[in-house]
Amino acid sequence: MPLEITSSDEKKATLLQMRGTIVGPDDRESFQAKIQELLEGANPNLILDLGGVTYVDSAGIGALVATSNLATRKGGGIRLLHLTKRIHDVLQITRLSSVFGIYDSLQKALDSFESQD
């Protein structure tokens, strides 16, 4: 299933609800284009709700890392929300779970931006 992304503005971040897969160059390019578009706006903080993402390959992991770096350069950050067990395990194995803020609650993810200020 190709990647689908919808976005909504929350108080301290933009929430991206994602469904499908992040595999290969096509998904990676559409993901990064959406991120680039959002980061051109005023709010550099993003929450990626990955609860609907069924699979992420190395290109998808690379896209997450690139997103984190880009958000940081823009003065913001990203948080990951509702990870599936598979995606959580991949981030643990690659030791990237320490790079990302991982949350099970939207409110906790939003609150983490408050403590960043």
Side-chain angles (χ1 to χ4, degrees), residues 1 3 6 8 17 21 34 42 45 49 51-52 55 58 65 69-71 82 85 88 90 92 97 103-104 109:
M1 172 185 202
L3 183 64
T6 57
S8 60
Q17 293 181 306
T21 59
K34 180 69 172 181
N45 294 325
D49 185 342
Y55 186 75
S58 59
V65 171
N69 292 338
L70 183 57
H82 300 139
K85 180 177 178 356
H88 191 273
V90 167
Q92 288 285 94
S97 59
Y103 298 89
D104 291 326

Side-chain angles (χ1 to χ4, degrees), residues 3-5 25-35:
L3 183 64
E4 298 173 8
I5 303 172
D26 291 341
D27 289 340
R28 181 184 174 131
E29 287 175 20
S30 68
F31 174 69
Q32 289 183 309
K34 180 69 172 181
I35 297 300

Side-chain angles (χ1 to χ4, degrees), residues 1-6 16-23 27 31 47-57 59-61 63-64 80-91:
M1 172 185 202
L3 183 64
E4 298 173 8
I5 303 172
T6 57
L16 283 86
Q17 293 181 306
M18 304 169 68
R19 298 182 55 80
T21 59
I22 309 174
V23 297
D27 289 340
F31 174 69
I47 298 173
L48 308 180
D49 185 342
L50 300 177
V53 175
T54 56
Y55 186 75
V56 176
D57 70 358
I61 296 296
L64 292 175
L80 305 181
L81 181 64
H82 300 139
L83 297 183
T84 63
K85 180 177 178 356
R86 176 180 283 181
I87 295 172
H88 191 273
D89 289 348
V90 167
L91 292 177

Side-chain angles (χ1 to χ4, degrees), residues 89-108:
D89 289 348
V90 167
L91 292 177
Q92 288 285 94
I93 290 167
T94 58
R95 297 188 180 170
L96 290 171
S97 59
S98 62
V99 172
F100 300 105
I102 299 173
Y103 298 89
D104 291 326
S105 150
L106 176 58
Q107 189 58 53
K108 288 180 182 177

